[in-house]
């Protein structure tokens, strides 16, 4: 399934998910451009296009705590929807948030009784980014949003793999295993214009 020699740009390469994605991409033989401090720049379509030119795919794992989530994430989505096609980048794999994914019952994780509500504005803002991507991305941009089905396990070691799963508060996955899921969707895309959760196998 692995496709060597693709050129991948990773926006947010300095974060834990970005670092794991860079490492996994290089392990597979891809050429990687790290856009580590591009959190602000990734809201500008012209900058996205300039940075992404010459790449086959983009992985996006960005967050700017200095900008309200309901402004930042939709702005990122609009910039990607314009900038990546302008650079002829055809595949986008973006990192989302479990809170706005449905659970097994169909309720969004953030609406499950007992789920923390103090960051609800952040959850909703993240979800608004995905909806903006859905609305703004042209057919030429094949995108998917992937998130942990629950949260990250920063202490655990590599597992036997990963599975796609509905949201669950107790679900965990290591950044390294999550990066495998991201790169699988770069190398051999099977998910299109959707948001999915990923859990340890």
């Amino acid at each position: 399934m692995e496709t060597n020699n693709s050129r991948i740009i990773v926006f947010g390469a300095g974060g834990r998910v970005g670092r794991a994605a860079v490492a996994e991409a290089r392990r597979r033989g891809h050429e990687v451009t790290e856009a580590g401090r591009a959190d602000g720049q990734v809201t500008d379509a012209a900058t996205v296009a300039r940075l992404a030119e010459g790449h086959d795919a983009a992985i996006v794992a960005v967050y700017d705590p200095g900008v309200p989530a309901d402004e930042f994430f939709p702005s990122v989505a609009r910039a990607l929807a314009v900038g990546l096609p302008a650079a002829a980048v055809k595949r986008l794999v973006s990192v989302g948030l479990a809170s706005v994914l449905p659970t097994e019952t169909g309720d969004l994780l953030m609406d499950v009784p007992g789920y923390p509500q103090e960051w609800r504005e952040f959850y909703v803002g993240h979800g608004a980014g995905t909806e903006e991507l859905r609305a703004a991305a042209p057919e030429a941009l094949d995108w998917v949003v992937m998130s942990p089905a629950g949260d990250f396990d920063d202490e655990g070691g590599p597992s036997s793999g990963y599975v796609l799963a509905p949201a669950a508060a107790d679900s965990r996955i290591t950044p390294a295993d999550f990066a495998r899921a991201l790169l699988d969707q770069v190398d051999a895309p099977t998910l299109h214009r959707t948001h999915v959760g990923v859990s340890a196998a």
Side-chain angles (χ1 to χ4, degrees):
M1 286 178 58
E2 296 178 7
T3 306
N4 289 333
N5 302 320
S6 290
R7 295 194 67 202
I8 301 170
I9 183 167
V10 179
F11 290 96
R16 61 180 171 178
V17 176
R19 290 193 304 271
V22 168
E24 179 65 16
R26 289 189 172 139
R27 187 187 71 79
R28 298 184 184 206
H30 296 304
E31 183 180 340
V32 182
T33 298
E34 298 181 47
R37 293 302 305 160
D39 290 3
Q41 298 170 344
V42 81
T43 59
D44 179 73
T47 302
V48 168
R50 176 176 57 79
L51 293 172
E53 186 175 1
H55 294 81
D56 302 300
I59 294 174
V60 178
V62 295
Y63 167 50
D64 186 345
V67 180
D70 62 349
E71 296 176 20
F72 178 71
F73 292 108
S75 294
V76 170
R78 286 189 292 270
L80 295 170
V82 173
L84 292 179
V89 174
K90 294 182 170 59
R91 182 61 166 168
L92 165 62
V93 180
S94 186
V95 178
L97 197 67
S99 310
V100 293
L101 274 175
T103 61
E104 281 188 336
T105 65
D107 295 324
L108 300 184
L109 183 57
M110 66 179 180
D111 294 332
V112 172
Y115 194 74
Q117 294 299 307
E118 55 264 40
W119 302 290
R120 191 176 180 91
E121 288 184 10
F122 180 76
Y123 309 154
V124 172
H126 225 303
T130 298
E131 291 311 307
E132 188 68 28
L133 188 62
R134 191 183 305 279
E139 289 298 323
L141 182 61
D142 182 18
W143 61 269
V144 64
V145 176
M146 307 181 79
S147 66
D151 204 350
F152 285 108
D153 173 9
D154 291 315
E155 307 299 327
S159 76
S160 58
Y162 67 86
V163 293
L164 302 182
D170 60 351
S171 173
R172 295 294 182 269
I173 189 167
T174 65
D177 285 333
F178 184 69
R180 290 164 62 186
L182 297 177
L183 267 297
D184 282 350
Q185 287 301 317
V186 169
D187 289 343
T190 59
L191 301 167
H192 311 281
R193 303 181 79 87
T194 189
H195 179 190
V196 300
V198 188
S199 186

